[in-house]
Amino acid sequence: MFDVDKERVVNMKEEALFIHSYRVGYRIDKQLLVSLEEIFKNYSSTAMLNIDVECDNNILYKFESVNEICDFFDKNPYRIVKMEIRALLGEKVDANQVKLVFSNKRYAEVRISYRFNSNDDYLVMKNKIEVYLKNYKLNYSLLSIVPISPIVFFSIFIGIYIYTDINHIVFSSVVQRVIMGIWVIGSCSGILPSVNKLKRNLFPCVEFRIGQNKIVEDNYSKIRNILIGTISIGIIVGIIVNFVSKVFGI
């Protein structure tokens, strides 16, 4: 089932604006952009594209085709943090329109809005776009949404509590305050820009694998796999050790 977080419909004189926000993240590469461009061109041979790309150098670049974007980022190492695609499906100013926003900024989002004067045309366009997007959904998208810092430090806190309870360990009041302080500070660290930026890099809401951006995403992918693998192995080993100690009374 396609994961839709919110759908909002605004009725106007002879058309409606449908807005969808998605909880899942996506991988944006050349093939996906070419597919989207073909959808718009097939709907209207006079369809026009305007693509705004914001990079981490705080500069906004404007393009009118997918080839322009790919050629530019093949030659330039700027990291993409947001892409907005606006498709005007006809020559008239009031022609049907589609806007897609893919953002991996601090307040990451994936949002698609449709402005159509025909409900049937809107549904056809929406279904076509969602079919393509579904194939590019990130398999770790949940981690890009949840607050990782509080969860990690809460898990560590619970782990310490269980370990000390099983082994009948009682810390002094000073040590208890230190542990509580570390837990509180660590849990609140997620609101810091530097920590949020690190999370957006390791677990992006949107992966922009276009041109030299693909090299950056591949590097973070390796780090992410090592991190997830290490944590998973640690949890499994902990469970096994705890089970063996209970069975054999070690």
Side-chain angles (χ1 to χ4, degrees):
M1 181 177 181
F2 206 71
D3 195 357
V4 180
D5 177 53
K6 178 177 61 178
E7 178 178 355
R8 182 160 55 91
V9 181
V10 180
N11 293 318
M12 292 168 282
K13 290 183 179 180
E14 296 180 353
E15 59 183 17
L17 175 63
F18 304 85
I19 302 173
H20 299 264
S21 296
Y22 299 93
R23 290 195 297 267
V24 295
Y26 299 96
R27 182 181 75 255
I28 309 301
D29 61 12
K30 181 178 180 179
Q31 184 56 52
L32 175 60
L33 295 179
V34 169
S35 299
L36 292 174
E37 189 174 41
E38 288 181 354
I39 291 175
F40 301 141
K41 294 292 184 181
N42 289 335
Y43 180 87
S44 172
S45 59
T46 58
M48 294 181 291
L49 285 182
N50 290 289
I51 307 173
D52 294 345
V53 179
E54 187 176 342
C55 297
D56 58 2
N57 58 0
N58 295 320
I59 296 180
L60 182 67
Y61 300 94
K62 295 180 177 293
F63 306 93
E64 294 183 352
S65 72
V66 173
N67 286 334
E68 284 185 11
I69 295 177
C70 296
D71 290 342
F72 180 83
F73 286 101
D74 279 340
K75 302 172 184 176
N76 295 279
Y78 310 130
R79 184 148 193 223
I80 301 172
V81 294
K82 183 178 180 181
M83 180 180 293
E84 183 175 303
I85 304 170
R86 296 185 303 279
L88 184 65
L89 306 177
E91 295 179 336
K92 298 181 180 179
V93 177
D94 59 346
N96 294 330
Q97 300 177 39
V98 179
K99 183 169 75 172
L100 304 95
V101 177
F102 301 99
S103 174
N104 193 46
K105 301 179 72 173
R106 181 174 184 180
Y107 300 103
E109 67 171 345
V110 175
R111 187 178 73 251
I112 306 176
S113 59
Y114 305 82
R115 179 172 292 173
F116 276 76
N117 51 29
S118 167
N119 190 58
D120 291 337
D121 286 356
Y122 150 69
L123 291 175
V124 170
M125 178 64 68
K126 172 178 174 292
N127 290 335
K128 286 184 177 180
I129 290 177
E130 288 186 351
V131 166
Y132 280 107
L133 286 180
K134 190 174 183 180
N135 295 326
Y136 289 84
K137 185 168 65 173
L138 297 175
N139 55 12
Y140 61 86
S141 56
L142 179 62
L143 295 177
S144 68
I145 302 170
V146 299
I148 295 179
S149 295
I151 292 176
V152 170
F153 281 93
F154 181 76
S155 299
I156 293 174
F157 181 80
I158 295 298
I160 293 174
Y161 174 80
I162 294 174
Y163 179 80
T164 54
D165 182 63
I166 292 175
N167 294 277
H168 307 290
I169 298 174
V170 180
F171 290 124
S172 66
S173 58
V174 175
V175 175
Q176 291 179 24
R177 292 193 189 98
V178 170
I179 294 175
M180 286 294 295
I182 294 175
W183 173 57
V184 172
I185 294 173
S187 299
C188 296
S189 64
I191 64 176
L192 298 176
S194 57
V195 176
N196 190 275
K197 183 178 180 180
L198 178 62
K199 178 191 174 184
R200 291 268 71 83
N201 289 334
L202 289 175
F203 300 98
C205 179
V206 181
E207 286 188 8
F208 295 102
R209 291 182 170 270
I210 301 170
Q212 296 190 42
N213 280 258
K214 185 179 183 301
I215 300 174
V216 178
E217 294 297 348
D218 284 341
N219 291 334
Y220 278 117
S221 178
K222 294 176 183 177
I223 298 174
R224 181 169 57 249
N225 292 337
I226 292 173
L227 182 63
I228 294 176
T230 302
I231 293 175
S232 300
I233 292 173
I235 293 173
I236 294 172
V237 170
I239 293 174
I240 293 175
V241 170
N242 185 49
F243 175 76
V244 171
S245 63
K246 283 186 175 180
V247 172
F248 296 97
I250 301 175

